[in-house]
Amino acid sequence: MEPLTPIIAAASPFYWLPFGFIFIALFIALWGAVREDGSDIKKVEEREQ
Amino acid sequence: MVGTWDTRNVVRLFNGVGALVMFSVVIGAYAIQFIFLEPPCPLCLLIRIGMLATGFGLVLNALFGPKPIHYGFALLGAIFGILVSLRNIALHIVPGTGSYGDAVFGFHLYTWAFLVFMAIVIAIAVVMFFQRQFDEPTGQAPRIVNLVAVIALAVGIFLAAANTFTTAVECELGPCPDNPTRVL
């Protein structure tokens, strides 16, 4: 466990970064969801044709 | 239109609810931070990252339909959270070494976090038994499925943005204090 301590301490100034990454990733997901709106229905319709 | 309750849509709803559960744990941590004025320790922040990462994978399943890559991301987030919360438990496991924060229903928050992460890993493993969730959609999803997915996405975006801000403020873009005293 002890070798981990300096690594965790050295990384701690950047702990806000992963939150930022997740925020951006969720925003991209939002963009994708808006773009794909109704795609399930389209897939079903295409298959039925 | 009522929508089709096929395996895919049931699992999408389950993933949306699972994401909301993960996010509600972070909301609970925020409540303790601001109501009881207990700022999060550095490892507690890493646990929150694990919670949000797990919730992110589950939100993707709820929004776009179940895919192995989404489950993979959720599992990586949960395993990261398990490792961090186990380290946090280990730091205080020896009698007389104290603890961080107050206990909630008898357990400290990092112990609860470990249990939640273990529960979500087991839940994902069980849900992945249902192979037909990966089939093509058979009809329009019931409205509740999309509603829960969008609510979970909105809550996730809010929590990720809020944590980016409060973490940067708490640590002042320097090393996060081991025993923080300021909430914001």
Side-chain angles (χ1 to χ4, degrees), chain A residues 5 12-13 19-20 26 29 40 47, chain B residues 8 87 136-137 156 164 174-176:
Chain A
T5 308
S12 75
F19 288 119
L26 282 168
D40 278 12
R47 214 173 32 242
Chain B
R8 184 175 189 271
R87 176 174 166 80
E136 287 289 303
T164 308
C176 296

Side-chain angles (χ1 to χ4, degrees), chain A residues 1-2 4-5 8-9 12-16 18-20 22-23 25-27 29-30 32-33 36 40-41 43-44 47, chain B residues 8 12 42 45-46 48-49 52-53 56 60 64 87 136-140 153 156-157 160-161 163-164 167 173-176:
Chain A
M1 278 299 193
E2 222 28 57
L4 275 178
T5 308
I8 292 172
S12 75
F14 307 104
Y15 279 0
W16 59 275
F19 288 119
I22 293 171
F23 172 69
L26 282 168
F27 237 97
L30 172 67
E36 276 199 13
D40 278 12
I41 309 164
K43 278 181 195 165
V44 174
R47 214 173 32 242
Chain B
R8 184 175 189 271
R12 278 183 63 198
L45 290 171
L46 291 180
R48 287 187 192 185
I49 292 169
L52 289 185
F56 171 65
L60 290 183
F64 302 109
R87 176 174 166 80
E136 287 289 303
T138 55
Q140 190 177 10
L153 177 67
I157 287 176
N163 271 290
T164 308
T167 305
L173 299 180
C176 296

